Amino acid sequence: MGAAARKPDAGLFPCEAEIARRLSQTPADWRARAVVLERDGLPRIDPIMGGRYWPAVLAYFNKRYGIASFGPSAMDGTENLDALR
């Protein structure tokens, strides 16, 4: 299913016009900026899915602006569930 045949805001792989809208860009401005941002790690358009994986696009911008997601913290010891009684 090509980009033209699917819904513009289709789930995890939105079309470029929808990504531009979500990022407050015009489609033309987004096309130009995406070329530059891809050199910095912006996910490319997946050739099979026909769009950029939206969670990866969000992760790219979160990392770019210092809001990277955090992983699980180190365990601080064994849980003692008997202490709850």
Side-chain angles (χ1 to χ4, degrees), residues 19-56:
I19 291 176
R21 186 195 68 76
R22 292 179 187 183
L23 298 174
S24 302
Q25 304 292 307
T26 66
D29 286 343
W30 170 244
R31 275 191 300 277
R33 289 181 174 121
V35 170
V36 174
L37 293 172
E38 282 178 351
R39 293 182 210 140
D40 186 45
L42 176 72
R44 296 184 184 275
I45 295 172
D46 183 285
I48 295 172
M49 299 304 290
R52 296 177 201 273
Y53 184 57
W54 180 247

